[in-house]
Amino acid sequence: MTTMSMIKALNEGLRRVLEDQPKSLVMGEDVGRLGGVFRVTDGLQKDFGSDRIIDTPLAESGIIGTAIGLALRGYRPICEIQFDGFVYPAFDQLVSQLAKIPNRSGGRVRLPVVVRIPYGGGIGAIEHHSESPEAYFAHTAGLKVVTCSNPNDAYWMIQQAAAGDDPVIFFEPKRRYHSKDDVDTESAGLDLYRARTLREGRTATLIAYGPTVDVAMNAAAAAAEEGLDLEVIDLRSLSPIDWEPLFASVRKTGRAVVVHEAPGNIGVGAEVAARLSEECFYSLESPVLRVTGYDVPYPASRLEDDYLPNLDRVLDAVDRSLEY
């Protein structure tokens, strides 16, 4: 075990990809000489050269379009979108080309492209720098969508994403970038598209991913002081979703609360709630509830704490679930 921040874990994971896969490369705005605005790619250009760590123009559509062309020629690009809200100029390339070409070719063409996107709030930034656009991509057939919540997962999931032949949208929770934890550098322990149960419980199930996993764990710890035994599941993969651990947990607890930063309207939580209602109807003791960001543009930093799901909002949802 080695203690790392999430930034360091991602950096080390990318380093292993570049060492193990000669056709891999990293490309994006300021990823080379600067090392990325969050320093995730710090030092990589120095060690692997400017032909593999490529500083691109400020043109997200061009970044993804070029990556598609490189993948067609046998390369394995890892693209960085500098901030979540900057991905929208590349949306057409992502959903119309990257997601569709493998199917359009009958599977003869593979596009092993990883698109890294720092996402979510908690850093005091405005719109286009604090958004959670994951539902757009989870809705798009042909794209895999994953997100890490801790340094160990960051280290292994970036390597697993880069090792596959499918396009992967890799969301990194920027407010967790500086969190430190143990990283097992010898064994991944879990497939990229599997959910992980972080805490066993029988009172209710908390389902979270990315930046809100820590919120859910803190809520479970606080609830334990009141005699409530909450189970916590980290989805990790948003497309595909690993449903069986969720079904098994809810059949045990009878209650579920889904937590994410993105707005609730037609979000990932809505899909989770719908599927749990379909598959676990006779086990549920109350409706599946959601604790999410609000259905408004991301607010100014002074309102950020009121916008983001927090411990009190999660515990309030648990209380409401128990009242049924």
Side-chain angles (χ1 to χ4, degrees), residues 137-271:
F137 303 106
H139 179 75
T140 303
L143 296 177
K144 307 290 189 183
V145 183
V146 301
T147 179
C148 51
S149 66
N150 59 77
N152 191 72
D153 275 353
Y155 178 78
W156 285 108
M157 289 173 73
I158 192 63
Q159 295 179 63
Q160 293 167 322
D165 289 330
D166 294 313
V168 178
I169 309 298
F170 192 97
F171 282 103
E172 301 167 6
K174 63 174 80 75
R175 69 164 152 153
R176 301 291 297 156
Y177 266 154
H178 297 285
S179 63
K180 293 186 176 182
D181 207 341
D182 289 339
V183 175
D184 181 352
T185 58
E186 297 298 322
S187 174
L190 199 62
D191 180 77
L192 178 61
Y193 305 114
R194 296 290 302 275
R196 175 182 278 118
T197 300
L198 299 177
R199 180 178 178 130
E200 300 279 349
R202 304 197 67 85
T203 303
T205 302
L206 298 183
I207 300 166
Y209 58 85
T212 57
V213 169
D214 192 54
V215 177
M217 288 294 286
N218 289 338
E225 296 178 2
E226 301 177 4
L228 303 179
D229 188 19
L230 303 183
E231 186 148 297
V232 180
I233 298 177
D234 180 357
L235 283 181
R236 301 175 77 248
S237 176
L238 308 183
S239 182
I241 290 175
D242 184 15
W243 291 108
E244 287 308 317
L246 277 63
F247 296 157
S249 178
V250 172
R251 286 172 182 142
K252 176 177 63 174
T253 66
R255 293 176 169 83
V257 175
V258 190
V259 188
H260 59 65
E261 285 191 13
N265 186 43
I266 317 180
V268 172
E271 176 63 22

Side-chain angles (χ1 to χ4, degrees), residues 42-226:
D42 188 41
L44 296 182
Q45 189 178 75
K46 175 179 175 292
D47 294 338
F48 294 96
S50 59
D51 58 340
R52 296 189 68 193
I53 312 298
I54 303 168
D55 282 317
T56 68
L58 306 183
E60 287 77 16
S61 181
I63 293 170
I64 303 304
T66 301
I68 293 170
L70 286 165
L72 290 170
R73 298 292 294 177
Y75 291 90
R76 306 182 71 86
I78 302 170
C79 304
E80 178 182 296
I81 301 297
Q82 198 169 77
F83 282 92
D84 34 55
F86 296 179
V87 73
Y88 304 123
F91 194 76
D92 181 46
Q93 292 283 8
L94 289 165
V95 304
S96 300
Q97 306 301 331
L98 185 63
K100 302 299 191 295
I101 289 175
N103 181 71
R104 191 182 302 152
S105 68
R108 291 187 297 274
V109 174
R110 310 300 297 180
L111 293 179
V113 178
V114 177
V115 182
R116 296 179 39 245
I117 306 177
Y119 80 120
I123 63 167
I126 57 173
E127 80 280 354
H128 303 318
H129 297 74
S130 298
E131 298 177 10
S132 298
E134 60 269 21
Y136 292 118
F137 303 106
H139 179 75
T140 303
L143 296 177
K144 307 290 189 183
V145 183
V146 301
T147 179
C148 51
S149 66
N150 59 77
N152 191 72
D153 275 353
Y155 178 78
W156 285 108
M157 289 173 73
I158 192 63
Q159 295 179 63
Q160 293 167 322
D165 289 330
D166 294 313
V168 178
I169 309 298
F170 192 97
F171 282 103
E172 301 167 6
K174 63 174 80 75
R175 69 164 152 153
R176 301 291 297 156
Y177 266 154
H178 297 285
S179 63
K180 293 186 176 182
D181 207 341
D182 289 339
V183 175
D184 181 352
T185 58
E186 297 298 322
S187 174
L190 199 62
D191 180 77
L192 178 61
Y193 305 114
R194 296 290 302 275
R196 175 182 278 118
T197 300
L198 299 177
R199 180 178 178 130
E200 300 279 349
R202 304 197 67 85
T203 303
T205 302
L206 298 183
I207 300 166
Y209 58 85
T212 57
V213 169
D214 192 54
V215 177
M217 288 294 286
N218 289 338
E225 296 178 2
E226 301 177 4

Side-chain angles (χ1 to χ4, degrees), residues 303-323:
L303 298 175
E304 191 172 45
D305 289 342
D306 296 314
Y307 175 87
L308 294 172
N310 57 29
L311 183 147
D312 289 337
R313 289 177 60 194
V314 173
L315 292 179
D316 177 68
V318 171
D319 288 342
R320 286 188 284 121
S321 178
L322 292 170
E323 288 173 357

